[in-house]
Amino acid sequence: MKELNIAVVGATGAVGQEILKVIEERKVPFKSLRMLASSRSAGKEITFMEKTYTVEETTLDAFKGVDVALFAGGPASRAFGRDVQAAGTVVIDNSSTFRLEEDVPLIIPEVNGEAAKNHKGLIASPNCSTTLLVGAINPLHQKAGVKRIIVSTYQAVSGAGAAGLTELEDQSRQILDHKPIHLDVFQHQIAFNLIPHIDVWQEEDYSKEETKVLHETHKILDAPDMAITVTAVRVPVMRSHAESVYVEFENPLSPDEAREILAAAPRVVLQDKPHDNIYPMPITATGSDDIYVGRIRKDLYNDHALNLWACFDQIRKGAATNTVQILELLLEKDWI
Amino acid sequence: MKELNIAVVGATGAVGQEILKVIEERKVPFKSLRMLASSRSAGKEITFMEKTYTVEETTLDAFKGVDVALFAGGPASRAFGRDVQAAGTVVIDNSSTFRLEEDVPLIIPEVNGEAAKNHKGLIASPNCSTTLLVGAINPLHQKAGVKRIIVSTYQAVSGAGAAGLTELEDQSRQILDHKPIHLDVFQHQIAFNLIPHIDVWQEEDYSKEETKVLHETHKILDAPDMAITVTAVRVPVMRSHAESVYVEFENPLSPDEAREILAAAPRVVLQDKPHDNIYPMPITATGSDDIYVGRIRKDLYNDHALNLWACFDQIRKGAATNTVQILELLLEKDWI
């Protein structure tokens, strides 16, 4: 397999750090590795696979000689993404900046990997809530055709980066110790609370997180008419998202058929033995690259519908792992 | 107003303690008050409205001379409910024991108070998740006729009583301090986790919590054909439940109409200014007797449907307050 010169942009953040871990674990071949971040982090040292790297400031010059740049997310994508692409480096971007642009494939490798084939040098990785939803339902969609989705999310604080994790931990301590809490990342206290507000507000009072899942799912599944309703809620969980999903199909699909399909699907793990207390949960999904699906039940009022509960590690498959898997796909298929 | 001899059964538990608070706050008139609990708690002293009461063991004899007994929930309901009723004491019961029995009205006073009129001496208060759902949607149902509900719950640990609260607090500390956690009340770690499993499993792999909401809603709204799908999830929140609700009506209903109806509905508070970060949340609902509703959005794929987010204090309106409000209803209407 080719060995590439790789840059990780946002290498010091929660997702960037996880991208490095995933590169090591999955033995992604590389010739050289460049660690880029904002000027604030430039000069820091990162030890990775027994070698020490100095973090460099993200500038256009810093991408010279880089074959592929993995952008962890954040403002660097908008500031540099298109220029880096134009300069000949392949960009794999985890931010929302380019996801809906027409010349940018939006890729979950096991779902629509083929769409990356004719990429123009910029490929996007989806929003974490989209990846969880589409990863869980696509195997069923291929079999029975999804018509309608109603999904309520239970989203971990890691979606707001390392600062989100710190805020939940700090506030939890402050509340347990009966001390005043500090608000910084979230609109309200998140410890022992629920906040039905993720990202800014859009048309019809949907949040941007909710509309992202709608539009990104349409694009990934090439199903612009699929009816999708999303309610996005932040919960006091560290780093794994969950979703409660009602899904209606063109054709009837029994829970047993759904279980069989999901058990055989790549990168999906069926956890559906409720009588043994086995179902997806954040604490068991954390640290894994898989999408866990369980609580599969027939809808009592629609024999074309099922209900299910899905969970995955937001920092890994929701961000870092999917980004690296896109790179692996390009390498395997010789699309880079 | 009549002054009654009242017994509180389960007076030392989380709900029993809150029933006492609500009696004081709402100035419910009483001639005498008896504090009953299990033999384990008998002999304890409770100071209430500047008077000290000794907790007595719940036995059939202990109800002699009692006009109305408020059962907080738990095994005492099954053990004593019917016998106490037969002995002439009016029972208002917060447990699930009798809710679906034909001779037992299941009452949310502002929703179906009239159904308590011809009670036979035993009246039930609904499951907390039912009260939140029905309390939030009934004003809209009266206007536009609810056909279909798909609800995902976000349920606080207080639903498992005082021990649930202690377990979340203890586990949160243990995890923050990197110590081993103790499991007692819940099937799995609840701190910083989500558990899609409340109560035992029933037909079609729905949990009993999920089927309770279905059957109790049918009974309260006298709408046995209403299509209701429930996913019940325990979340690491202390004492306020939330629900993400998709609701489809016989007749079209706009978000503005829904807001107007809810703003005027008794015991419902509209909190729907997302651009000002105002929406229902556990931390703002806690301690209140109201049902908070917000995030009202038209469904983008069904002009007969709305989506909303509701929240309330599980120990108060979800249990203690509704139980006391049933007593107030009987007193006001002279049905006791």
Side-chain angles (χ1 to χ4, degrees):
Chain A
M1 206 176 273
K2 261 184 225 167
E3 291 200 339
L4 302 173
N5 298 307
I6 297 178
V8 176
V9 187
T12 56
V15 174
Q17 286 288 301
E18 204 76 26
I19 285 176
L20 292 172
K21 252 198 235 178
V22 176
I23 287 174
E24 179 170 7
E25 288 171 16
R26 299 180 71 92
K27 301 186 173 46
V28 176
F30 59 89
K31 199 162 26 177
S32 76
L33 198 56
R34 199 164 282 177
M35 309 285 192
L36 304 180
S38 69
S39 57
R40 221 179 40 247
S41 296
K44 283 189 186 167
E45 298 197 325
I46 293 178
T47 302
F48 177 64
M49 293 176 79
E50 303 185 355
K51 204 179 141 184
T52 299
Y53 296 81
T54 302
V55 176
E56 298 170 61
E57 183 178 349
T58 312
T59 63
L60 197 50
D61 271 356
F63 292 92
K64 269 190 188 146
V66 170
D67 300 306
V68 60
L70 307 177
F71 280 70
S77 299
R78 187 174 300 280
F80 297 99
R82 286 296 190 182
D83 289 343
V84 171
Q85 174 194 17
T89 298
V90 171
V91 171
I92 303 176
D93 183 38
N94 187 50
S95 83
S96 64
T97 316
F98 310 111
R99 284 180 194 146
L100 300 180
E101 297 194 8
E102 241 181 73
D103 64 330
V104 177
L106 181 61
I107 301 294
I108 304 171
E110 63 273 24
V111 173
N112 68 334
E114 279 299 308
K117 185 172 183 178
N118 297 310
H119 73 85
K120 308 279 183 281
L122 205 170
I123 298 171
S125 184
N127 173 276
C128 43
S129 299
T130 308
T131 303
L132 178 55
L133 178 66
V134 175
I137 63 145
N138 180 59
L140 309 177
H141 176 57
Q142 295 310 317
K143 172 74 177 184
V146 170
K147 267 175 67 175
R148 179 68 166 121
I149 292 170
I150 296 168
V151 55
S152 297
T153 73
Y154 299 65
Q155 295 187 230
V157 296
S158 59
L165 289 157
T166 307
E167 184 142 315
L168 174 56
E169 200 170 321
D170 289 351
Q171 285 183 359
S172 299
R173 270 187 209 283
Q174 286 154 357
I175 286 165
L176 292 170
D177 295 342
H178 307 287
K179 289 186 178 155
I181 61 156
H182 298 290
L183 293 181
D184 178 23
V185 177
F186 300 109
Q187 302 89 350
H188 301 277
Q189 171 189 321
I190 184 59
F192 307 108
N193 195 27
L194 305 164
I195 307 177
H197 178 179
I198 301 181
D199 211 331
V200 297
W201 300 107
Q202 309 257 292
E203 67 275 16
E204 306 290 355
D205 287 341
Y206 282 84
S207 68
K208 194 171 175 190
E209 182 78 7
E210 291 161 352
T211 57
K212 276 178 186 171
V213 174
L214 172 66
H215 298 308
E216 293 180 16
T217 302
H218 285 169
K219 179 167 176 169
I220 296 166
L221 295 179
D222 192 18
D225 298 325
M226 192 181 279
I228 305 173
T229 299
V230 188
T231 301
V233 181
R234 186 78 69 193
V235 299
V237 165
M238 290 295 177
R239 56 177 280 167
S240 286
H241 282 8
E243 292 177 353
S244 167
V245 187
Y246 165 89
V247 54
E248 187 183 333
F249 301 95
E250 299 284 352
N251 305 308
L253 189 70
S254 75
D256 280 341
E257 285 173 297
R259 284 186 201 104
E260 200 177 311
I261 292 165
L262 289 166
R267 295 176 186 158
V268 171
V269 174
L270 181 71
Q271 281 186 327
D272 200 12
K273 294 185 176 166
H275 292 267
D276 296 330
N277 295 346
I278 294 173
Y279 25 71
M281 292 190 297
I283 52 165
T284 42
T286 291
S288 153
D289 289 329
D290 292 319
I291 289 173
Y292 296 88
V293 187
R295 294 292 330 272
I296 298 167
R297 293 153 287 157
K298 74 174 192 181
D299 196 274
L300 302 176
Y301 292 94
N302 184 341
D303 65 7
H304 281 47
L306 295 175
N307 298 283
L308 56 85
W309 170 254
C311 189
F312 79 161
D313 186 314
Q314 184 275 328
I315 307 183
R316 291 188 67 101
K317 182 63 182 169
T321 302
N322 199 66
T323 303
V324 176
Q325 284 169 339
I326 293 171
L327 172 57
E328 289 178 316
L329 174 74
L330 299 184
L331 285 165
E332 276 161 28
K333 300 279 190 176
D334 213 15
W335 292 343
I336 194 167
Chain B
M1 207 175 270
K2 260 184 226 166
E3 291 200 337
L4 301 174
N5 298 307
I6 297 177
V8 176
V9 187
T12 55
V15 173
Q17 286 287 301
E18 205 77 25
I19 285 176
L20 291 172
K21 253 199 235 177
V22 176
I23 286 174
E24 179 170 9
E25 288 171 17
R26 300 180 71 93
K27 302 185 172 46
V28 176
F30 60 87
K31 199 159 30 172
S32 75
L33 199 57
R34 198 164 284 179
M35 310 287 192
L36 304 181
S38 69
S39 58
R40 220 180 42 246
S41 296
K44 283 190 188 167
E45 295 197 329
I46 293 178
T47 301
F48 177 65
M49 295 176 78
E50 304 184 354
K51 202 179 144 182
T52 300
Y53 296 82
T54 302
V55 176
E56 299 169 62
E57 182 178 348
T58 311
T59 62
L60 196 50
D61 271 356
F63 293 93
K64 270 192 187 147
V66 171
D67 300 307
V68 60
L70 307 178
F71 281 70
S77 299
R78 187 174 300 280
F80 297 100
R82 286 295 190 184
D83 289 342
V84 172
Q85 174 195 16
T89 298
V90 172
V91 171
I92 303 176
D93 183 40
N94 188 50
S95 83
S96 65
T97 317
F98 310 110
R99 284 180 193 145
L100 300 180
E101 297 194 8
E102 241 181 77
D103 63 331
V104 177
L106 180 62
I107 301 293
I108 305 171
E110 64 274 24
V111 172
N112 68 334
E114 280 299 309
K117 185 172 181 178
N118 297 311
H119 71 85
K120 309 277 183 283
L122 204 171
I123 298 171
S125 185
N127 173 275
C128 43
S129 299
T130 308
T131 302
L132 178 55
L133 178 66
V134 175
I137 62 143
N138 180 59
L140 308 177
H141 175 57
Q142 295 310 317
K143 173 74 179 183
V146 170
K147 265 173 71 174
R148 179 71 167 119
I149 292 169
I150 296 168
V151 55
S152 297
T153 74
Y154 299 65
Q155 297 187 227
V157 295
S158 59
L165 289 156
T166 307
E167 184 142 316
L168 173 56
E169 200 170 320
D170 288 351
Q171 286 184 357
S172 298
R173 272 187 208 283
Q174 286 154 357
I175 287 165
L176 292 170
D177 295 343
H178 307 287
K179 290 187 178 157
I181 62 156
H182 298 290
L183 293 181
D184 178 21
V185 177
F186 300 109
Q187 302 88 350
H188 301 276
Q189 171 188 323
I190 183 59
F192 307 108
N193 195 27
L194 306 164
I195 308 176
H197 178 178
I198 301 181
D199 210 331
V200 297
W201 300 107
Q202 310 255 292
E203 66 273 18
E204 306 290 353
D205 286 340
Y206 281 84
S207 68
K208 193 170 175 189
E209 183 77 7
E210 291 161 352
T211 58
K212 276 179 186 171
V213 174
L214 171 67
H215 298 309
E216 294 180 16
T217 302
H218 284 169
K219 178 166 178 172
I220 296 166
L221 295 179
D222 191 18
D225 297 325
M226 191 180 279
I228 305 172
T229 298
V230 188
T231 302
V233 181
R234 186 78 67 193
V235 300
V237 165
M238 290 295 177
R239 54 177 281 167
S240 286
H241 282 9
E243 292 177 352
S244 168
V245 186
Y246 165 89
V247 54
E248 187 184 333
F249 301 96
E250 298 284 351
N251 305 307
L253 188 71
S254 75
D256 280 341
E257 287 172 296
R259 284 186 201 103
E260 201 177 307
I261 291 165
L262 290 167
R267 296 175 186 158
V268 171
V269 174
L270 181 71
Q271 281 187 326
D272 199 13
K273 294 184 175 167
H275 291 267
D276 297 330
N277 296 346
I278 293 173
Y279 27 69
M281 292 190 296
I283 53 165
T284 42
T286 290
S288 152
D289 289 329
D290 292 320
I291 290 173
Y292 296 88
V293 187
R295 293 295 326 274
I296 298 167
R297 292 153 287 155
K298 75 172 192 184
D299 196 274
L300 302 176
Y301 292 93
N302 184 341
D303 65 6
H304 281 48
L306 295 175
N307 298 282
L308 57 85
W309 170 254
C311 189
F312 79 161
D313 186 314
Q314 185 274 329
I315 307 184
R316 291 190 66 100
K317 183 62 182 170
T321 302
N322 199 67
T323 303
V324 176
Q325 284 168 340
I326 293 171
L327 172 57
E328 289 179 315
L329 173 74
L330 299 184
L331 285 166
E332 276 160 28
K333 300 279 192 177
D334 214 14
W335 291 343
I336 194 168

